[in-house]
Amino acid sequence: MRTTKINRIDLMRDGERRLIRMPEERTCLHLVDVSCQEQRSCIEVTRICKMKSSSDDVLANRLADPARPVFLLGEVPPGEGTSPGKCLEIATKFAARSRALATDGFIVYDIQDEPGRSDMKRPFPFRRVMDSSKYASLLAKTSNKACCVYKCVADAEFEDWIERAATEHGHSAINLVGRASSQGEYVGPTIAKAMELVKDKKNLRFGCVCIAERHTFEAAKSRGRDYPTEHLNMLRKQKAGAEWFISQAVYDPEPTIRLLKDYAASCREQGIQPKKVILTFAPVSREKTMNFVKWLGVRVPQETESKILTAERPVDASVDLLCDILRTILQACSGLHVPLGISCESVSIFKSEIDAVHELFRKLQDILLTSRGTPWVVQWVEVIPPAGVAQVTPTIAAKKEKDGDYASASSTILPSSAVKIGFYGAIVGAALVSLGVMMGSSGDFFTVRIALNQRRK
C-alpha cells in the first residue's frame, strides 16, 4: 500500500466518478483506485452535476454502487438525555479518532431493548440512547462524512421519523431493521410496509440487514423448513427497493459463505444483479464481551471462542482471526459477483476493543482491496488553513514506472497566498460547474479528466 499527499483537492477514481467535496477538518483519508490503463497516475475531475450533491448522496451512491467496495465504521449514539454539549464532545472525539481511517462514512445504530432476543442473560444492562437520526446528523456535520442510519421499523411514529431524517437531518441512506423477537405487542409498520414508505420518500434510499445465522440448517429446522431461506428474504427486500445489505457481526464464515452463494445463485437464476453486502466485524478481548456478542445472536464456534479467550493477548487474537475469516469468505466466494464491503464496530466501551477496531479496519480494508487484483493507494488531504495561521506545503506524488518509487513535485504556499489560491479555486470551480450546466442539457453529467501520464517504455 502506498500513501500520497494531494493538497487542497482529493479526487477519487471510482465507479461513480464524481467530484469529491473537500472536508472541513485539517486532514482526511480517502481511497484511490490507481488501476488506470498504461499504469498512469490520474487526477480526475468528474461527474459535475447541475444539481447540488451532498456527502450524504455520495455515501448512498457508494453503498449502492456494485463497482466499488465500501468501508464503514459503526457508532452507537450517546445515552438518552445526554446534554447537547456532551453529545458534540462525543461526536467530535469519534470524528477525530476515525479521521486516520479511509472510511466512506459511518453507521449509526438504533439501539432497542430486546428482552425476547435470547434465553441468555444480557451481559450488559440496556440503556436507552438518543435518536439515531439526530445523532447521525451531528456526527455528519462534525466529521463532514455522511452516515448510514439504522432504524427499527417497530415504531408507532415511523413515518414522522423518516420525514425528520430526510428533511430536518438531511440523511439519504437508511438501513431498516425489523424486530429481533415476535414476542410482545407489535407497533409500527411491518418491514414490507416500512420499505414501501421509505421508497416513496423523495431523496431517501435504503438497505436492510442480512442475518447469516438464519441461513443454517439448525435455523431452518427450527422453522419447519428443509433448507435455509435467508437468501430469499434478501431477494424479496431487493425487489422491494433495498439497494444494499449489512450483516451482523461475523465470527463463523460458513453460514456467510452459504448465504452469499445461495443469494448469488438465485440472482443469476432470476437474471438480476446482486446488491452489495457489507460484512460487519467486531473484535473482542474478554469473556463478557464475547457473551454479549453471542447474546446478540452471533454464531461463535467453540473453537474460535477458546482460541481468542485463552490467547496471551485476546484482542490481537480476535483481530487476526477475523482477518482469517474474511480471507476464507473471499476465497470461497470468488467469482460469485456479489459486491462486498466492510464495516467495523465495537460492541463495548472497553478501550482495548475500541482501539482494536481501528487496527482491524485497516487490515480488513487491505485484504479486501488487495483481493480485487488492482493497484490502490490511500491519499490524505490537508485543507489550507486561514491566512496567517500556518504555512502549507502541497505535494503531488506520482508513481514512477521505472523503479516503483514516487517522484514528488513540491511547492510552498505562503500564508499570504492562501486567500488568493482559495479565491482562484472558487472561480475555477464555478467555471467548471457553469460548463456542466451548459453541456449537460439532458440533465445528466459530463466529465473533465486531467491525467499525469507515465507511459511504459
Side-chain angles (χ1 to χ4, degrees), residues 85 97 156 175 205 213 233 242 252 254 363 373 413 418 428 440:
R97 282 175 54 85
N175 214 66
R205 299 163 76 177
E213 280 74 9
N233 291 334
D252 183 357
E254 294 309 317
K363 289 186 174 183
I413 300 177
V428 173

Side-chain angles (χ1 to χ4, degrees), residues 376-398:
W376 62 278
V377 297
V378 170
Q379 291 183 332
W380 66 275
V381 179
E382 184 174 62
V383 178
I384 292 182
V389 173
Q391 178 173 305
V392 180
T393 302
T395 302
I396 297 181

Side-chain angles (χ1 to χ4, degrees), residues 42 142 320 347 409:
C42 294
T142 303
D320 291 343
V347 297

Side-chain angles (χ1 to χ4, degrees), residues 49-70:
C49 184
K50 294 198 298 185
M51 303 298 292
K52 180 180 177 183
S53 178
S54 70
S55 60
D56 299 87
D57 299 324
V58 170
L59 179 59
N61 287 337
R62 291 181 181 179
L63 285 165
D65 182 3
R68 74 185 301 280
V70 69

Side-chain angles (χ1 to χ4, degrees), residues 96-405:
R97 282 175 54 85
S98 64
R99 191 177 300 157
L101 301 175
T103 61
D104 290 293
F106 306 119
I107 290 176
V108 175
Y109 291 101
D110 181 20
I111 306 299
Q112 302 290 324
D113 191 11
E114 301 168 329
R117 173 183 278 276
S118 173
D119 294 332
M120 295 174 57
K121 182 180 178 181
R122 185 183 177 118
F124 300 115
F126 172 73
R127 66 182 183 96
R128 295 193 179 278
V129 298
M130 69 181 293
D131 175 61
S132 57
S133 178
K134 185 175 181 179
Y135 179 67
S137 176
L138 177 62
L139 182 57
K141 292 173 183 175
T142 303
S143 65
N144 203 32
K145 287 192 174 183
C147 298
C148 178
V149 187
Y150 265 56
K151 178 57 182 175
C152 178
V153 303
D155 182 353
E157 300 179 355
F158 180 79
E159 290 189 64
D160 293 336
W161 185 91
I162 60 173
E163 176 67 25
R164 288 195 306 274
T167 57
E168 182 179 338
H169 298 149
H171 300 303
S172 63
I174 306 297
N175 214 66
L176 299 178
V177 187
R179 286 205 312 173
S181 171
S182 59
Q183 297 180 11
E185 182 181 357
Y186 189 89
V187 295
T190 63
I191 189 71
K193 180 62 177 177
M195 290 190 291
E196 181 182 333
L197 290 170
V198 178
K199 186 177 180 180
D200 291 341
K201 190 70 180 175
K202 186 178 180 181
N203 299 326
L204 268 187
R205 299 163 76 177
F206 74 93
C208 293
V209 297
C210 60
I211 310 296
E213 280 74 9
R214 294 176 185 162
H215 208 66
T216 63
F217 289 100
E218 296 89 341
K221 185 177 180 181
S222 68
R223 299 184 180 191
R225 295 168 179 161
D226 295 329
Y227 194 83
T229 57
E230 181 66 0
H231 63 302
L232 301 180
N233 291 334
M234 294 172 68
L235 277 174
R236 174 175 53 83
K237 292 173 182 178
Q238 178 175 339
K239 291 177 180 178
E243 297 187 67
W244 62 83
F245 296 96
I246 302 179
S247 79
Q248 67 177 12
V250 180
Y251 262 94
D252 183 357
E254 294 309 317
T256 298
I257 292 169
R258 184 183 300 114
L259 176 59
L260 292 176
K261 286 185 175 182
D262 288 344
Y263 174 56
S266 296
C267 286
R268 192 180 304 114
E269 184 179 291
Q270 299 190 26
I272 59 178
Q273 167 70 44
K275 297 299 182 181
K276 185 177 295 174
V277 177
I278 295 102
L279 303 175
T280 302
F281 298 88
V284 300
S285 66
R286 52 182 181 163
E287 186 177 4
K288 191 171 185 179
T289 306
M290 180 64 78
N291 288 337
F292 184 57
V293 167
K294 293 190 293 184
W295 181 87
L296 289 171
V298 177
R299 180 184 175 119
V300 184
Q302 183 59 50
E303 181 182 355
T304 299
E305 181 177 352
S306 299
K307 187 175 181 179
I308 292 172
L309 297 181
T310 60
E312 183 177 349
R313 285 186 53 82
V315 71
D316 292 343
S318 172
V319 169
D320 291 343
L321 188 140
L322 292 175
C323 288
D324 288 340
I325 286 176
L326 177 59
R327 292 188 188 97
T328 300
I329 292 172
L330 292 174
Q331 183 177 7
C333 297
S334 175
L336 292 183
H337 305 296
V338 177
L340 296 177
I342 297 294
S343 172
C344 291
E345 62 168 331
S346 174
V347 297
S348 79
I349 58 174
F350 198 48
K351 185 178 184 304
S352 68
E353 292 171 351
I354 295 174
D355 292 341
V357 168
H358 288 229
E359 180 66 17
L360 177 63
F361 180 93
R362 293 186 186 96
K363 289 186 174 183
L364 295 179
Q365 186 175 63
D366 189 353
I367 292 167
L368 180 54
L369 288 173
T370 301
S371 73
R372 290 162 56 85
T374 57
W376 62 278
V377 297
V378 170
Q379 291 183 332
W380 66 275
V381 179
E382 184 174 62
V383 178
I384 292 182
V389 173
Q391 178 173 305
V392 180
T393 302
T395 302
I396 297 181
K399 187 174 181 181
K400 288 176 64 178
E401 291 288 326
K402 189 172 182 180
D403 54 15
D405 292 327

Side-chain angles (χ1 to χ4, degrees), residues 11-12 14 16-20 46-47 58 61-62:
L11 300 164
M12 294 179 61
D14 59 36
E16 285 297 318
R17 292 190 174 181
R18 67 182 71 80
L19 181 66
I20 302 300
T46 59
R47 281 217 166 198
V58 170
N61 287 337
R62 291 181 181 179

